[in-house]
Amino acid sequence: MASTNHANAVSSSSQQFTSLLGCTMESIIHELLYSRSIYPPDSYVHHRHLGVRFHCSRVPQVCDYISNFLKVAVPSIVSGVGDSISLVILEEEVANSNQSGTSGGQQQRIGATKTLERFVFQFQIDNIIYGEDTKPKHIALHNDGGNDMLPMDIQHEAMKRDTELASEAKTQMERSMRDCLLQVLSLRGRRRSKDEKAENLSFKLCLHVAEEDKKQQQDDNDIVVASVSGKQCPELVTAVNQGEWFQPEESSCLFSTNANGNANGSKGLIRPIRHVNLPSCGIKMQMGFAVPSEQN
C-alpha cells in the first residue's frame, strides 16, 4: 500500500508540473502573438493565468493550433526527447506586379516566407519532483523472521514529507512561471518595417529534438522511436505516425539570410529574456529572443 500511494503521489506531482508548464507556455505564446501584432488587437480577449491578466486570441484556428502543438511538445520536453520550443514570426514574401518596378503596384504572393523573429525556450529537464534517484527512501525494520516491516507511523511520516516537498516545489514552480509571463508582458511591441503589411504575417511553432535522439533516427519520418538514453514520448510518436506532425528542414525554423543576403540558416543572436532554475522541480529554462545577426 505504501508503494502504491507513493507512486500515485509522484504521478500526480508530475501531471501537475506538466499541466502548469503547458498552461504557462500557452499563455506566453498568445501574449507574444499579441505583442508582435500578428493579428488585429480586437481579435484578442483577456484571460488570467496564475493571477496575471494576458491577451488570448479568440480565433478558433489559432487557439487549436497552439493547444494541439503543446499537447505533444510539452510531454516531449518533460520526457527529455525535446529540448527547446520556438515561436517563429514569419512574413510572406510578395512581388510587385507593376512591370515598371515602381511602388504602388498590386502585390502578388510568391509562396516564400522569411523569418522576422524567433522566441526560443530552451529546457533542461532532470527529475520531475521525484525521480528514481531522488525520491525518499522508506525506512524498513526487520523482525525475527527476516521480513521487512514498515510501521504505520513511519509510513505516514514519509508520505507527509513527500506531500510537503511536492507542495513546496509546486509553489516555487508557480512563482517562476508567473514571473516569466510578467516578463513577456513587459516586452515592447515589434516595430514594423516600412513596407510590412499585417496580412502577410504569420507564425509557426517548432519543437527541437535533442541531439542524442536525432543521431538515432532510422528515417526522416521517425524522430523519437530510438534513443541513446532510451527516452521516448508516446504523444510525439503517435503524432508523427498519424501524419499530424512532420520534420521540416531545420533551416525553415531559422533566419534564412545573413547581412549579405546569402542563405545560411542562422540562429541569429539570442538575447536572454528570463532564466529559470528550479532544482526542486528538476527544470532549467532559458527564454530568449533571437534576431538576425546583422541587427546586432
Side-chain angles (χ1 to χ4, degrees), residues 62-75:
V62 174
C63 296
D64 290 344
Y65 172 67
I66 297 173
S67 176
N68 292 334
F69 171 84
L70 292 174
K71 285 179 182 178
V72 177
V74 172

Side-chain angles (χ1 to χ4, degrees), residues 115-118 251 253-257 264-268 290-292:
T115 299
L116 298 180
E117 295 177 335
R118 296 173 62 243
S251 59
C253 296
L254 305 176
F255 294 107
S256 57
T257 59
N264 61 352
S266 170
K267 294 182 179 181
V291 295

Side-chain angles (χ1 to χ4, degrees), residues 17-268:
F17 170 90
T18 303
S19 176
L20 178 57
L21 180 60
C23 290
T24 303
M25 287 299 304
E26 187 169 15
S27 303
I28 287 175
I29 291 171
H30 277 277
E31 183 60 36
L32 286 173
L33 292 180
Y34 175 82
S35 70
R36 308 339 275 173
S37 302
I38 304 300
Y39 302 107
D42 59 3
S43 67
Y44 293 85
V45 294
H46 284 110
H47 280 192
R48 284 189 178 273
H49 175 59
L50 299 175
V52 178
R53 193 171 76 159
F54 68 98
H55 296 89
C56 179
S57 174
R58 57 186 177 90
V59 179
Q61 294 87 341
V62 174
C63 296
D64 290 344
Y65 172 67
I66 297 173
S67 176
N68 292 334
F69 171 84
L70 292 174
K71 285 179 182 178
V72 177
V74 172
S76 300
I77 293 294
V78 171
S79 65
V81 170
D83 59 10
S84 70
I85 292 174
S86 298
L87 167 63
V88 185
I89 308 300
L90 303 168
E91 181 182 22
E92 187 171 10
E93 296 182 336
V94 295
N96 199 319
S97 61
N98 203 353
Q99 294 183 356
S100 62
T102 59
S103 60
Q106 186 176 5
Q107 292 183 329
Q108 293 182 342
R109 303 179 187 273
I110 60 177
T113 59
K114 65 178 180 179
T115 299
L116 298 180
E117 295 177 335
R118 296 173 62 243
F119 290 89
V120 183
F121 304 84
Q122 298 172 318
F123 295 89
Q124 180 180 332
I125 304 293
D126 296 322
N127 295 306
I128 307 304
I129 308 300
Y130 291 128
E132 291 300 320
D133 298 331
T134 60
K135 64 185 181 185
K137 306 298 181 183
H138 292 304
I139 302 174
L141 302 181
H142 298 275
N143 62 11
D144 294 338
N147 296 321
D148 289 349
M149 298 181 61
L150 185 62
M152 292 300 295
D153 56 342
I154 299 180
Q155 174 186 341
H156 291 162
E157 186 64 26
M159 294 179 61
K160 179 181 178 181
R161 181 58 177 162
D162 288 356
T163 303
E164 290 175 350
L165 290 175
S167 178
E168 181 180 353
K170 179 184 177 183
T171 300
Q172 293 176 356
M173 181 72 175
E174 289 178 342
R175 186 183 303 115
S176 295
M177 294 297 98
R178 183 177 185 274
D179 289 344
C180 287
L181 182 53
L182 287 171
Q183 189 71 45
V184 170
L185 284 165
S186 70
L187 296 176
R188 68 180 183 183
R190 188 175 61 84
R191 290 175 293 184
R192 291 183 177 179
S193 62
K194 182 179 63 175
D195 299 327
E196 184 179 299
K197 293 185 178 181
E199 59 266 27
N200 296 331
L201 299 181
S202 62
F203 77 98
K204 68 177 177 180
L205 296 166
C206 301
L207 171 69
H208 184 266
V209 177
E211 293 299 328
E212 62 183 44
D213 293 313
K214 282 186 173 183
K215 294 176 182 178
Q216 295 297 309
Q217 292 178 21
Q218 301 300 316
D219 55 63
D220 290 340
N221 296 321
D222 183 5
I223 61 178
V224 292
V225 170
S227 164
V228 171
S229 59
K231 294 176 291 189
Q232 289 189 355
C233 177
E235 292 87 350
L236 183 54
V237 173
T238 300
V240 172
N241 290 340
Q242 292 180 351
E244 298 174 357
W245 279 51
F246 68 96
Q247 184 178 3
E249 292 291 336
E250 186 175 10
S251 59
S252 69
C253 296
L254 305 176
F255 294 107
S256 57
T257 59
N258 57 21
N260 298 322
N262 300 319
N264 61 352
S266 170
K267 294 182 179 181

